[in-house]
C-alpha cells in the first residue's frame, strides 16, 4: 500500500529520517531534471538538488500541506538556482563549463541532442514552465504557484515556450 | 503559432528527461545525519563570506591605524635665535597655548645662539621668542609673519611630515 507524501512528511516531523529518504527517492529525478535543464551542468544540478532537499528537510516545519511536496522542493530548487546564478563569477564559470562537451548520457541520441539544444536556447523564463508542463506534468495552477506568477502568465509562458521550442527544433 | 497538440510536446520532451545520479539520495542523507545546522553562520561551501568580511575589517583597521598614525606623527622642529647678551630665551606660541615658562632655549653657545628642538605634529604654528622674560622678539629667520593686533609680529612655521616648509 502506497504511503502518501503527506504521511511521510508527518513521519519526518516525528523524527523518522528514513521517511525523508523515501520522499527524496520519489522526487529527486523531477528536481534534478529541472535543475539540469536550468544549469546545463550535471554536477551543479546534483549539488542544487541536494541543497534543495536539505533545505526542505530543515524547513519541514514550515511546509504547507496544501502544496504538493514535490512542487515545494522544486520551488526551493528553482529559487536556489536563481540565487546562485545571481553571482556573476559562478554564472561565468557555469557558462564556461557549458561550453565543454555535454556530459549527459542521453546526448548520444541525435534526436535527444536536438531537443536539448532547442531547450537550452530558450530563455529561462520560458524553459522552466515548458519543462514543468511537459516533462513534469504540472498544471498551469501548479506552475503559477511554483514560479510566483499568475495562472494566465503561466499559460502565456508555456504557449510562447512551445512556439519558440518548435521554431528552434524545426528551423 | 505552432499547431502541435499537447501530447506532441510530452512525447518529444520525454526522452530528454534526465535522472538524478544514483547515489544522490544516499549522499544527501549522509549530509543530513552528519552535518549540523549552521544557524546564522554560512555553510562550509560559503566559507569565503566570513573570510572576506574578516579580511575587509582587518584592512579597514590597518588603513585607519595608518591614517591616524600618520596624522599623529611628530616632527622635530628646530628654533634658533641669535641673542648673545640675553640671560634667558623662551619659545612661546600656539603649540604651548602662548604660556611662557614651558619651552626654554639652551644657550648661548660660543657664537651667541640660543636653540631648541621640539617635536610637533603637522600643522601651522605662530610663535615669538621671549627674551629675559620681557622682550618679545619675532624670529628673524621666519619667512612668513603676521601682525598679532597687539603690537607684535608673530612668526609662522608650517610643519609637515617632510619637515618644516616655511
Amino acid at each position: 500500500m502506497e504511503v502518501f507524501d503527506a504521511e511521510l512528511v508527518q513521519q519526518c516531523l516525528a523524527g523518522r529520517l528514513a521517511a525523508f529518504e523515501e520522499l527524496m527517492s520519489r522526487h529527486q529525478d523531477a528536481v534534478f531534471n529541472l535543475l539540469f535543464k536550468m544549469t546545463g551542468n550535471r554536477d551543479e544540478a546534483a549539488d542544487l538538488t541536494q541543497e534543495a532537499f536539505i533545505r526542505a528537510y530543515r524547513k519541514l516545519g514550515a511546509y504547507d500541506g496544501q502544496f504538493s511536496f514535490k512542487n515545494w522542493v522544486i520551488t526551493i530548487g528553482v529559487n536556489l538556482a536563481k540565487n546562485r546564478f545571481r553571482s556573476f563569477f559562478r554564472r561565468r564559470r557555469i557558462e564556461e563549463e557549458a561550453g565543454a562537451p555535454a556530459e549527459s548520457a542521453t546526448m548520444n541520441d541525435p534526436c535527444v541532442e536536438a531537443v536539448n539544444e532547442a531547450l537550452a536556447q530558450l530563455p529561462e523564463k520560458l524553459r522552466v514552465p515548458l519543462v514543468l508542463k511537459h516533462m513534469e506534468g504540472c498544471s498551469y495552477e501548479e506552475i503559477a504557484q511554483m514560479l510566483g506568477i499568475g495562472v494566465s502568465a503561466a499559460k502565456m509562458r508555456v504557449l510562447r515556450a512551445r512556439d519558440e521550442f518548435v521554431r528552434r527544433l524545426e528551423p | 503559432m505552432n499547431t502541435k497538440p499537447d501530447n506532441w510536446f510530452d512525447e518529444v520532451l520525454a526522452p530528454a528527461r534526465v535522472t538524478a545520479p544514483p547515489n544522490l539520495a544516499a549522499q544527501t542523507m549522509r549530509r543530513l545525519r552528519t552535518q549540523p545546522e549552521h544557524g546564522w553562520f554560512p555553510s562550509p561551501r560559503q566559507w569565503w563570506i566570513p573570510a572576506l568580511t574578516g579580511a575587509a575589517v582587518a584592512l579597514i583597521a590597518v588603513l585607519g591605524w595608518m591614517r591616524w598614525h600618520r596624522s599623529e606623527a611628530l616632527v622635530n622642529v628646530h628654533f634658533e635665535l641669535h641673542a648673545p647678551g640675553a640671560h634667558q630665551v623662551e619659545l612661546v606660541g600656539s603649540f604651548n597655548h602662548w604660556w611662557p615658562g614651558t619651552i626654554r632655549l639652551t644657550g648661548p653657545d660660543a657664537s651667541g645662539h640660543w636653540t631648541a628642538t621640539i617635536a610637533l605634529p603637522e600643522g601651522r604654528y605662530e610663535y615669538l621668542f621671549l627674551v629675559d622674560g620681557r622682550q618679545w622678539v619675532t624670529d628673524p629667520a621666519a619667512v612668513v609673519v603676521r601682525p598679532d593686533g597687539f603690537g607684535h609680529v608673530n612668526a609662522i612655521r608650517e610643519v609637515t611630515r617632510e619637515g618644516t616648509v616655511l
Side-chain angles (χ1 to χ4, degrees):
Chain A
M1 188 183 129
E2 195 196 350
V3 181
F4 290 109
D5 284 357
E7 200 175 318
L8 289 171
V9 169
Q10 288 307 316
Q11 290 181 19
C12 292
L13 288 170
R16 200 175 149 252
L17 202 58
F20 192 75
E21 193 165 4
E22 170 62 23
L23 278 171
M24 186 166 177
S25 302
R26 285 183 187 186
H27 305 301
Q28 62 175 351
D29 286 347
V31 179
F32 178 81
N33 179 55
L34 180 68
L35 293 172
F36 179 66
K37 293 291 182 279
M38 283 180 82
T39 61
N41 181 296
R42 281 189 81 84
D43 290 340
E44 197 71 35
D47 190 46
L48 283 165
T49 304
Q50 192 174 68
E51 198 62 39
F53 276 96
I54 287 174
R55 296 261 178 120
Y57 180 76
R58 290 188 174 147
K59 303 276 177 199
L60 213 53
Y63 165 66
D64 177 2
Q66 302 293 315
F67 209 39
S68 106
F69 179 80
K70 175 183 139 185
N71 292 354
W72 185 55
V73 187
I74 286 179
T75 308
I76 295 173
V78 169
N79 290 334
L80 279 173
K82 282 181 182 168
N83 287 339
R84 198 171 283 192
F85 292 149
R86 281 202 188 109
S87 154
F88 170 77
F89 293 109
R90 183 169 280 275
R91 189 169 62 236
R92 204 170 142 188
R93 184 171 70 76
I94 290 166
E95 278 166 5
E96 280 169 7
E97 284 173 6
E103 312 158 53
S104 168
T106 57
M107 292 296 250
N108 295 328
D109 183 337
C111 294
V112 174
E113 198 174 336
V115 167
N116 275 328
E117 208 172 310
L119 267 179
Q121 285 173 13
L122 292 180
E124 190 185 288
K125 217 168 125 179
L126 301 182
R127 196 186 329 140
V128 172
L130 188 70
V131 170
L132 288 172
K133 177 72 185 158
H134 291 293
M135 291 178 111
E136 301 309 329
C138 297
S139 67
Y140 290 119
E141 287 75 15
E142 287 175 316
I143 295 170
Q145 204 167 16
M146 279 188 264
L147 302 182
I149 56 177
V151 177
S152 51
K155 280 182 188 168
M156 280 303 296
R157 286 192 194 182
V158 171
L159 289 176
R160 273 190 56 206
R162 284 176 184 172
D163 289 343
E164 292 288 321
F165 176 71
V166 169
R167 201 168 59 79
R168 285 173 165 86
L169 201 62
E170 300 171 345
Chain B
M1 189 173 163
N2 79 84
T3 51
K4 312 272 187 204
D6 270 24
N7 60 351
W8 182 87
F9 291 95
D10 295 344
E11 284 163 20
V12 167
L13 285 166
R17 195 172 196 272
V18 290
T19 54
N23 55 351
L24 189 65
Q27 276 178 5
T28 308
M29 297 316 291
R30 209 164 26 248
R31 258 185 76 183
L32 274 176
R33 283 190 191 98
T34 56
Q35 207 174 300
E37 282 197 53
H38 304 291
W40 62 272
F41 202 75
S43 66
R45 45 177 309 156
Q46 290 173 328
W47 60 269
W48 54 271
I49 295 176
L52 208 63
T53 309
V57 169
L59 186 69
I60 290 167
V62 168
L63 289 176
W65 181 83
M66 283 170 68
R67 190 181 165 84
W68 173 81
H69 189 70
R70 264 173 58 172
S71 64
E72 286 302 305
L74 297 175
V75 179
N76 284 327
V77 185
H78 184 74
F79 294 89
E80 188 173 315
L81 180 69
H82 184 243
H87 298 291
Q88 179 185 290
V89 178
E90 290 171 64
L91 184 60
V92 186
S94 52
F95 36 73
N96 59 0
H97 306 289
W98 297 97
W99 278 100
T102 54
I103 305 170
R104 289 198 171 150
L105 280 70
T106 54
D109 62 10
S111 59
H113 284 90
W114 294 77
T115 58
T117 300
I118 58 170
L120 293 173
E122 283 182 274
R124 184 183 169 92
Y125 300 98
E126 295 192 19
Y127 65 98
L128 286 169
F129 293 115
L130 181 60
V131 177
D132 293 334
R134 51 191 160 78
Q135 187 189 355
W136 293 98
V137 177
T138 306
D139 186 351
V143 179
V144 180
V145 294
R146 190 180 76 85
D148 68 355
F150 300 100
H152 302 294
V153 177
N154 294 341
I156 294 174
R157 191 75 71 95
E158 186 95 37
V159 177
T160 67
R161 268 181 300 123
E162 289 74 32
T164 303
V165 172
L166 295 172

